[in-house]
Amino acid sequence: PVSSSKDEEKHAENGGVVVGSGTGSGASGVDGKKKTDDTGGGTSEEDMQEYNSKLQEEFDYLTLWKKRCAFERTNPERLTSPQELAHRVRQAYKEMLCVLTLYPEAWHMWSMWEDTLPSSAGTSRGSSENRAIAVLQLGQGYIPDSTLLVQAHAQLVEI
């Protein structure tokens, strides 16, 4: 590419170093890593590996929380009252959502569990549906663009 006179002036002012020209693809940064250029180029392989590593870490974290909630649903404390068990499981879901608030899957899981509660858990069938819908609405407040939560909410309202 042909450089403009402004690029040449920057080059001369900085002692021969061109700053911010944005004419190359994948220019190296200060730390020597390949960076994106100003024209919207790709990311380096190292950045992609870091991204994939963090993504896998988040997935593993979500999986551990899902296992915890599943464990609580098995009634490990052998609670005799369905109300106590429901309270214990709700508490596990609330704890999960404290750290995974922006994960629609977590909200959906809790809502579906609320929907499956039998009337013997101290509530009528309509009440468990209301709780399930309330969980989805709360989740939609945190994640308004989640199609999963909107779809699940529509299904519960239709039933």
Side-chain angles (χ1 to χ4, degrees):
V2 177
S3 63
S4 67
S5 61
K6 288 185 180 183
D7 283 343
E8 291 173 356
E9 289 174 19
K10 286 181 185 178
H11 183 73
E13 289 174 5
N14 293 314
V17 178
V18 177
V19 178
S21 67
T23 56
S25 66
S28 293
V30 175
D31 56 0
K33 293 181 184 176
K34 190 174 179 183
K35 302 290 182 184
T36 59
D37 61 357
D38 295 339
T39 60
T43 57
S44 72
E45 188 173 325
E46 186 177 312
D47 290 340
M48 287 303 294
Q49 287 176 349
E50 182 180 342
Y51 172 77
N52 288 334
S53 169
K54 288 184 186 264
L55 193 63
Q56 183 63 43
E57 185 179 317
E58 287 183 20
F59 177 77
D60 293 342
Y61 196 57
L62 177 64
T63 303
L64 289 173
W65 273 105
K66 288 166 77 172
K67 286 180 181 179
R68 162 125 193 270
C69 290
F71 178 70
E72 290 296 339
R73 289 191 308 261
T74 65
N75 195 7
E77 294 183 355
R78 307 287 182 239
L79 300 172
T80 56
S81 167
Q83 293 91 352
E84 289 177 5
L85 177 61
H87 177 74
R88 179 91 179 152
V89 174
R90 264 187 211 104
Q91 191 60 37
Y93 279 116
K94 287 177 184 179
E95 290 171 5
M96 176 176 68
L97 286 167
C98 282
V99 293
L100 298 172
T101 306
L102 299 178
Y103 284 76
E105 187 177 353
W107 291 100
H108 184 258
M109 250 177 42
W110 182 13
S111 173
M112 293 302 104
W113 175 78
E114 288 285 356
D115 189 44
T116 60
L117 281 180
S119 59
S120 63
T123 59
S124 66
R125 177 70 184 141
S127 179
S128 69
E129 276 184 21
N130 290 342
R131 280 187 182 267
I133 289 171
V135 168
L136 289 172
Q137 288 173 336
L138 188 60
Q140 288 172 359
Y142 286 104
I143 319 167
D145 59 341
S146 172
T147 55
L148 173 65
L149 299 181
V150 171
Q151 177 68 25
H153 184 228
Q155 285 179 340
L156 286 175
V157 170
E158 285 179 1
I159 294 177

